[in-house]
Amino acid sequence: MFAPLSSKYSNPILPGFYPDPSVCRVGADFYLVTSSFHYFPGVPIFHSRDLVHWRQIGHCLTSRSQLNLDGCKSSLGIFAPTLRFHKGLFYMITTNTNGFRNFYVWAKQPEGPWSEPVWLDWPGIDPSLFFDEDGRVYITGNGGFLGDEALGIYQAEINPETGSLLSERRFIWAGTGAKAPEGPHLYKIHGKYYLLIAEGGTEYGHMVTIARSDHPYGPYESHPFNPILTHRSIDSPIQATGHADLVELEDGSWWAVFLGIRPAPVQFGGLHHHLGRETFLAPVTWSTEGWPVIGERGRVSEMMDARSLPVTAEPISYLLEDEFNLNQLDFSWNFLRNPEEGSWSLTENPGQLMLKGSAVTLDDADSVAFIGRRQQHFCCAVSTSLSFNPTLEGEEAGLTVYMNEKFHYEIALSYREGKRKVIFRRRVGSLWKLEREEEYDGPDGIILSIDADPSRYIFSYTRPGRTQTAYGSGECSLLSTEVAGGFTGVYFGLYATGNGRKCSAPALFDWFRYNPESQRRI
Ligand code: 6LW
């Protein structure tokens, strides 16, 4: 055995909107996927050697035929995926709730290419696959939340080559009685079948419960000390822990990945989280009676003991700076729904990201010309350099902090009343306000910036060669899930729109920076 290089690691292991994690191990390599909802490409996939440091290696759903998000409402689309590896193939199974269909894709390499979807005759959400030692393969999922059948966990045998069901769909466990029994995963451990699920809803009552049986279809015996993970009603910076997946290491130890949230550390005013549901890691220990528990008796913290994990000091692997010099977007970037053809380019003006605005705006649940990356840190600074010379009334392009189409703030260049102006706008539900507009007669390459701390975003711009001008601010809490709803977290986005018609001019972004270390400068 080798000694770990670091005895501690910090949670979350994937900060920002990365919910419903699912993990699998192939030799010494770990792979992890998360939900992606109405963002495209779908289902980011990550690699790690130590379970702590993850590097994104691609997405499982990269084409419209794999992921059609036409007309997708915000926070619908791709729900909880499960990732498994069996006999040389990776399988990722999930639900596209935009049309409500379950499917899986498979790949020889986790980086892709991933197959076309294998569509399943299987209702409900949160499908999972289990490859048993005897060659049988089970699909396990949630059912009943749309009303036609009893609420709980259902299972059937499936042919993984065709996706056809080989047995009837059977109800196997209702959970312990809390709301929303979902996110099931089946494992065979020490000769028994263990059924791990989430209960209590994905909000502050979230938890993980487990049951076991000698047979895959039960009867399932509930762990007498369920839940095995929850932060409901406790005072912790981490809340809503639940929706877990387990993985066994080569040394026989077990670990769990799961989602949690971090309400912004603001005094008074209730709990609000705007970074989304994030991915956490905790060790699993087994009682002498053969029951697992996650973390310290079901609780976890921001600094955790790495135990035997081979934690290395890896460099930061998320996007800090993009000069837009490559022909391909960094994996950190997402579109809202499938991007409209011709709405973006890295090659038309090499070295710059070009966005071509259409009639669609940030206020529409549609494919606005937009690329965004998640806000992953409470304190951070983002900035971009924009060249944009519109000639039609209403055209605009800029930088947004975006939760969904009804909750977003932006600083932008816009053509209004025959002049190019810097604008600052906030939309909070049915409140919509252009807070400031001033003529901008400066040169190309205006720098638009947002500085974030846990409670406030400050928006500013810099005319090339001049000092920064603070221009407006907005509360983070008004973009939180508690206010804006949904399952996602805040993005910083570059966007362009003609506000009702096609833009006459392209928006050219020369670079983008994300600085998580930032101390507020203004
Ligand atoms: C997901 C369900 C859940 O399908 O929220 O937290 C849903 N758990 O299992 C959307 O992420």
Side-chain angles (χ1 to χ4, degrees):
M1 280 303 298
F2 47 84
L5 298 180
S6 165
S7 60
K8 299 267 178 204
Y9 69 90
S10 65
N11 264 320
I13 49 169
L14 284 180
F17 151 57
Y18 289 114
D20 309 318
S22 175
V23 65
C24 73
R25 179 174 69 83
V26 184
D29 297 289
F30 300 99
Y31 299 95
L32 185 145
V33 291
T34 71
S35 303
S36 52
F37 300 93
H38 56 293
Y39 285 95
F40 187 88
V43 187
I45 180 162
F46 300 85
H47 169 257
S48 172
R49 299 300 293 266
D50 63 6
L51 282 179
V52 171
H53 299 92
W54 294 90
R55 189 174 59 85
Q56 192 173 350
I57 55 172
H59 290 90
C60 299
L61 306 175
T62 53
S63 68
R64 186 184 281 271
S65 59
Q66 292 166 316
L67 178 55
N68 187 326
L69 295 169
D70 286 345
C72 185
K73 294 202 169 105
S74 294
S75 281
L76 287 184
I78 295 296
F79 275 26
T82 295
L83 183 67
R84 293 293 180 256
F85 178 79
H86 181 71
K87 288 198 175 157
L89 291 183
F90 290 87
Y91 294 83
M92 190 286 293
I93 187 167
T94 186
T95 315
N96 185 349
T97 61
N98 187 42
F100 251 104
R101 290 179 81 188
N102 285 294
F103 67 99
Y104 63 83
V105 289
W106 55 267
K108 291 187 177 146
Q109 303 292 334
E111 297 84 0
W114 288 81
S115 73
E116 285 301 303
V118 179
W119 297 104
L120 304 174
D121 182 16
W122 182 257
I125 56 167
D126 300 354
S128 182
L129 289 174
F130 170 61
F131 293 84
D132 207 348
E133 299 145 351
D134 62 3
R136 291 173 198 269
V137 185
Y138 298 94
I139 179 170
T140 314
N142 149 296
F145 73 108
L146 289 181
D148 295 348
E149 52 189 6
L151 194 64
I153 308 303
Y154 288 78
Q155 189 162 282
E157 208 182 311
I158 189 173
N159 176 344
E161 279 165 31
T162 60
S164 54
L165 297 186
L166 303 175
S167 73
E168 58 170 351
R169 173 180 166 88
R170 287 168 63 177
F171 182 85
I172 57 167
W173 197 37
T176 64
K179 74 171 181 180
E182 60 191 9
H185 296 302
L186 185 68
Y187 313 88
K188 194 168 190 182
I189 303 170
H190 308 135
K192 283 195 185 292
Y193 293 91
Y194 284 84
L195 179 61
L196 184 83
I197 74 166
E199 288 189 64
T202 193
E203 304 85 16
Y204 290 89
H206 212 194
M207 54 187 170
V208 174
T209 57
I210 196 161
R212 71 182 177 195
S213 173
D214 291 328
H215 307 283
Y217 289 105
Y220 276 95
E221 171 203 2
S222 179
H223 182 359
F225 299 117
N226 271 325
I228 61 169
L229 171 72
T230 190
H231 277 204
R232 59 185 182 175
S233 300
I234 70 162
D235 197 9
S236 164
I238 303 167
Q239 294 289 322
T241 50
H243 199 116
D245 194 9
L246 306 181
V247 63
E248 185 181 15
L249 271 55
E250 281 176 310
D251 68 0
S253 63
W254 286 81
W255 289 78
V257 294
F258 52 92
L259 74 80
I261 61 172
R262 289 179 298 159
V266 182
Q267 261 191 322
F268 314 122
L271 298 178
H272 291 89
H273 73 286
H274 57 284
L275 300 188
R277 298 174 302 154
E278 311 177 283
T279 290
F280 290 74
L281 174 75
V284 176
T285 43
W286 294 83
S287 71
T288 46
E289 290 79 34
W291 288 110
V293 67
I294 299 174
E296 289 294 324
R297 282 173 291 150
R299 294 179 182 185
V300 300
S301 47
E302 287 178 304
M303 285 308 285
M304 302 265 312
D305 190 339
R307 300 192 180 188
S308 63
L309 284 183
V311 178
T312 52
E314 295 219 354
I316 291 176
S317 61
Y318 45 81
L319 179 75
L320 296 177
E321 192 159 358
D322 201 335
E323 299 284 339
F324 300 121
N325 282 334
L326 304 176
N327 283 349
Q328 196 187 320
L329 280 175
D330 186 273
F331 294 136
S332 304
W333 293 111
N334 280 153
F335 300 102
L336 275 164
R337 304 172 185 81
N338 307 91
E340 252 179 54
E341 211 165 308
S343 64
W344 70 283
S345 171
L346 288 168
T347 50
E348 272 185 53
N349 256 46
Q352 294 182 314
L353 168 77
M354 177 189 282
L355 290 181
K356 288 186 184 158
S358 69
V360 180
T361 76
L362 288 173
D363 294 316
D364 300 316
D366 203 341
S367 298
V368 62
F370 167 104
I371 69 159
R373 61 110 60 226
R374 291 154 175 84
Q375 181 179 355
Q376 297 182 278
H377 304 84
F378 287 118
C379 295
C380 57
V382 298
S383 51
T384 188
S385 162
L386 169 67
S387 299
F388 184 51
N389 291 291
T391 54
L392 296 177
E393 186 68 17
E395 288 183 62
E396 80 180 57
L399 177 64
T400 178
V401 51
Y402 180 93
M403 182 54 148
N404 60 40
E405 68 277 8
K406 295 196 177 86
F407 293 84
H408 51 88
Y409 310 153
E410 45 274 343
I411 184 161
L413 280 181
S414 179
Y415 198 72
R416 306 176 71 81
E417 290 143 359
K419 290 191 178 112
R420 190 169 56 154
K421 295 181 174 177
V422 189
I423 61 163
F424 171 57
R425 182 202 296 118
R426 291 205 292 156
R427 170 147 192 208
V428 180
S430 57
L431 297 175
W432 188 101
K433 188 159 186 245
L434 185 63
E435 308 235 11
R436 198 159 164 186
E437 53 175 322
E438 282 168 22
E439 186 173 355
Y440 179 75
D441 58 4
D444 280 348
I446 184 174
I447 298 172
L448 305 175
S449 315
I450 305 174
D451 280 74
D453 73 12
S455 61
R456 219 156 50 116
Y457 296 108
I458 295 186
F459 295 77
S460 58
Y461 76 88
T462 311
R463 188 184 162 121
R466 302 267 179 93
T467 52
Q468 194 172 20
T469 307
Y471 208 56
S473 72
E475 303 89 327
C476 303
S477 59
L478 296 179
L479 303 185
S480 67
T481 302
E482 287 77 357
V483 176
F487 293 131
T488 59
V490 158
Y491 271 70
F492 294 116
L494 310 176
Y495 76 98
T497 173
N499 277 314
R501 65 176 152 199
K502 213 170 168 40
C503 271
S504 65
L508 298 172
F509 295 90
D510 201 21
W511 47 258
F512 172 87
R513 288 187 193 124
Y514 176 91
N515 179 2
E517 317 290 62
S518 117
Q519 296 301 317
R520 178 155 278 158
R521 283 170 288 131
I522 46 175

